[in-house]
Amino acid sequence: MQPHIQIRNLNVFYNRDQQALKNVNLEIPHNQITVIMGPSGCGKTTLLKSMNRFLELTDGSQISGQVLIDGEDIYATGMDVTEIRKKAGLLAQHPYPLPMSIFDNVAFGLRIHQMKKGRHLEYAVQHYLEAAGLWTEVKDRLHQPATRLSIGQQQRLCLARGLAVEPEILLADEATSALDPISAQHIEERLVDLKKEYTVVLVTHILRQAKRLADYVIFMYLGEVVECGPAIQVFDHPQQERTRAYLEGRF
Ligand code: ADP
Ligand code: MG
């Protein structure tokens, strides 16, 4: 089976001379959790944002190489950026609920598909709140402002809104690091569940989280992919000395 995402000779610079990614080549499988791990500043966020063309929203960023989703280069001329970002949704480190009700936050995602008011919309909002593990906590106050939710609930709401856009790929950038341990666990459990339907790419600098969640691992250091492969292989039999050092906490 063709990998869901393929990256070829990817180089990224900030402000002309600061190289954040150095000739990255890798493949990300379908319906697994791929974890991008590595110390702070090694290029994890940059790599993640290259996968839905969020990178070009950063002034001074320059990108070369290829990112293929289902074999199609998302940077090719004529590609529809909105479609690409629908296909690969991003869950950020801090939840940003829209200044509207819980219901409307999820409906906002759905309206991208021109789903109008009515019973159908209500069912769909419930469906995505359930998928994000939030439904039972909010079903009696759907029309309250989303900002009244706890941070952990807000993050699950952002997940529900993201799922409502009907992506194929979920990109999560340190998506639990602003949360308390219980809320973080909620998100982790959702991601494990969601990989049945989505390809999940998770950035983390927490090694224990990587070990809990990863099916496939990409270890980065100073803008380079040092090693990648199935989690069991990378964690139990790392091939590179730098990977061994990182896994043993020698960084
Ligand atoms: P990570 O997510 O692993 O912490 P990043 O991808 O955020 O790493 O950053 C990789 C490198 O690129 C770092 O050296 C960082 O300082 C630099 N960088 C990130 N964003 C910018 C930016 N907007 N402008 C300039 N340099 C940046
Ligand atoms: Mg980062």
Side-chain angles (χ1 to χ4, degrees):
M1 195 181 186
Q2 173 172 262
H4 204 165
I5 306 171
Q6 290 165 283
I7 295 184
R8 292 187 189 150
N9 307 321
L10 185 71
N11 287 280
V12 173
F13 288 85
Y14 290 110
N15 310 318
R16 287 182 186 284
D17 57 352
Q18 260 181 283
Q19 190 162 10
L21 291 183
K22 297 172 191 162
N23 200 37
V24 167
N25 286 282
L26 52 86
E27 299 187 336
I28 292 176
H30 278 270
N31 295 94
Q32 296 199 355
I33 298 183
T34 292
V35 169
I36 303 173
M37 64 175 194
S40 193
C42 69
K44 303 184 295 298
T45 295
T46 303
L47 179 59
L48 199 72
K49 287 184 171 176
S50 75
M51 297 181 202
N52 70 350
R53 294 188 54 169
F54 254 54
L55 207 54
E56 63 209 57
L57 302 176
T58 303
D59 283 338
S61 64
Q62 248 183 315
I63 182 163
S64 69
Q66 286 184 315
V67 176
L68 297 95
I69 297 182
D70 295 319
E72 200 171 21
D73 184 7
I74 64 171
Y75 288 93
T77 42
M79 290 298 285
D80 182 340
V81 180
T82 311
E83 282 303 318
I84 291 161
R85 292 185 187 148
K86 269 200 227 168
K87 214 174 192 187
L90 183 70
L91 188 65
Q93 182 170 1
H94 295 278
Y96 294 105
L98 300 166
M100 47 179 80
S101 71
I102 295 165
F103 184 94
D104 285 337
N105 262 271
V106 184
F108 182 88
L110 289 161
R111 288 197 178 106
I112 291 177
H113 300 284
Q114 276 89 44
M115 196 179 281
K116 298 287 188 306
K117 278 199 186 332
R119 209 87 194 108
H120 196 44
L121 181 66
E122 283 172 30
Y123 280 124
V125 167
Q126 176 173 346
H127 170 78
Y128 290 112
L129 284 169
E130 283 171 348
L134 189 59
W135 173 249
T136 51
E137 289 162 59
V138 301
K139 64 179 169 28
D140 298 323
R141 48 172 168 150
L142 290 174
H143 299 287
Q144 286 185 8
T147 47
R148 280 194 214 158
L149 297 171
S150 72
I151 299 295
Q153 289 171 326
Q154 288 182 17
Q155 188 67 315
R156 278 178 284 150
L157 181 66
C158 290
L159 178 60
R161 187 181 66 209
L163 295 176
V165 181
E166 293 180 3
E168 292 175 12
I169 298 164
L170 287 177
L171 306 173
D173 192 359
E174 314 260 11
T176 65
S177 66
L179 309 182
D180 62 89
I182 302 290
S183 301
Q185 195 185 336
H186 277 306
I187 293 284
E188 286 191 6
E189 287 168 357
R190 287 302 92 217
L191 295 179
V192 170
D193 214 31
L194 289 165
K195 73 179 178 187
K196 290 183 208 110
E197 289 177 64
Y198 305 88
T199 294
V200 179
V201 187
L202 173 76
V203 161
T204 188
H205 67 273
I206 306 164
L207 184 54
R208 271 174 304 167
Q209 184 175 53
K211 287 185 172 170
R212 278 196 298 272
L213 298 181
D215 300 304
Y216 195 85
V217 179
I218 297 164
F219 172 56
M220 300 198 54
Y221 188 59
L222 298 177
E224 285 179 82
V225 173
V226 174
E227 186 160 352
C228 58
I232 301 170
Q233 184 186 308
V234 175
F235 289 136
D236 294 350
H237 305 286
Q239 301 297 305
Q240 301 295 325
E241 171 53 27
R242 281 177 297 178
T243 316
R244 276 195 285 278
Y246 185 72
L247 294 175
E248 288 167 10
R250 283 191 272 127
F251 272 38

